Amino acid sequence: MLDTSFSSLFLVALPSVVVAVEATVAGEILGRLAPAAAIHSVLAVQRLKNTMTEIRRAEFPGEWDAASGQFAVRGLRGGVYDLVLRTDKGTIEGADLRVEGDGPEALTETDREALHSIIRKMDEFMNRKNILFVMGTQRRAKVLMDLCRDRVHHMGDDLIWRVEIWQFENQYGAWQLSGQGLRGRTVLHREKAPQAVLEARRYLFEPRLGGILVAEDQPVTLPEYHVPDDWQTHPGSSPVRIPSEREAS
C-alpha cells in the first residue's frame, strides 16, 4: 500500500511561479520507480503560460512508498503533465516531446542531420547550444535544448542557463523553426547565476516521464522507470559543464 502522506514539495524552476491546486478531481498518475532507495519524492507538474519574466507551472505532490517503489499523484484535472523526481543525485524531470498532427513517419537520419545543421547555424544570444533530444515525425519535430550564455553580457558576469523545447516544421522539404522570437519555443527553466552555482545543479531531462495525458475518469499507469546509474552519459544530462576560460563578447 502507498503511504498516504504527501512528500515535501521540491521547487526546481528559478525564477518561477508555482500555482497551488487542491486535489478535488479523480485523475491519477500511477507507477513504480527503481531503485526505490534513490528516490526522495515525486510530483507532477502542469506547464502554464509563461510571461517574459516568469516560468509558470502548477505542481502536484505525489504519494511515495519507498518500501515498494510505488507512487501515485492524485486529484489531477484532465490535461498534460510531466513528472519530476527528486533523487539522491539530483532532479529527473519529464519533458513533453510529443508532436501533433499528421505525418506518422518517424524522423530519418537525414532529418536529424538537417535539424542539427540548422541549430548549429542559428545566431543566438545563448552562445552555447546543446541538443539533448530530437523527437517527432517527418512533418513536425521537437528539440530539447540546453542553452547557456557564458560570454560576458550587458546584464553582468553571471551565466544564463535555459532549457527550452524548440518546435520545427518541415515546409516543402525544408525544416523551419515554428515562428519567430518566443513563438515555437517553450521555456522549462531560466536562471541567471554564477558559474559555480549553475554547475552545482544536476538534472536529467527524460521524455519518458513527460507529456502524460491524464483524463479525470481513469488512472494512467506508467511503465516502470529505472533511475540511470551514469548521469554523465545520459542524453538528457544538464547543465553542460563550462570550460574554465570564458570568452568575452
Side-chain angles (χ1 to χ4, degrees), residues 95-106:
D96 183 6
L97 300 185
R98 301 169 305 134
V99 297
E100 300 178 353
D102 55 1
E105 301 86 358

Side-chain angles (χ1 to χ4, degrees), residues 81-101:
Y81 296 83
D82 298 335
L83 282 187
V84 176
L85 314 179
R86 185 187 179 190
T87 80
D88 54 3
K89 292 184 178 180
T91 301
I92 301 176
E93 183 166 330
D96 183 6
L97 300 185
R98 301 169 305 134
V99 297
E100 300 178 353

Side-chain angles (χ1 to χ4, degrees), residues 158-225:
D158 287 348
L159 274 63
I160 302 174
W161 172 64
R162 296 165 68 107
V163 176
E164 301 179 355
I165 297 174
W166 291 3
Q167 299 185 56
F168 289 84
E169 295 183 24
N170 193 332
Q171 300 284 352
Y172 307 105
W175 286 98
Q176 299 178 13
L177 191 65
S178 301
Q180 300 296 322
L182 295 179
R183 293 183 58 195
R185 307 186 188 203
T186 301
V187 182
L188 305 186
H189 288 274
R190 176 175 57 218
E191 185 170 355
K192 176 177 174 287
Q195 178 175 341
V197 173
L198 288 182
E199 291 193 346
R201 308 263 189 263
R202 183 45 47 198
Y203 288 88
L204 287 185
F205 291 95
E206 180 59 82
R208 287 180 292 171
L209 299 179
I212 305 167
L213 184 59
V214 173
E216 295 183 10
D217 59 349
Q218 57 185 352
V220 176
T221 302
L222 301 182
E224 182 172 340
Y225 180 77

Side-chain angles (χ1 to χ4, degrees), residues 22-41:
E22 295 183 0
T24 58
V25 291
E28 298 179 341
I29 302 174
L30 310 175
R32 184 187 299 271
L33 306 170
I39 309 297
H40 297 169
S41 62

Side-chain angles (χ1 to χ4, degrees), residues 53 66 108 112 172 213:
T53 59
T108 66
R112 294 179 182 276
Y172 307 105
L213 184 59

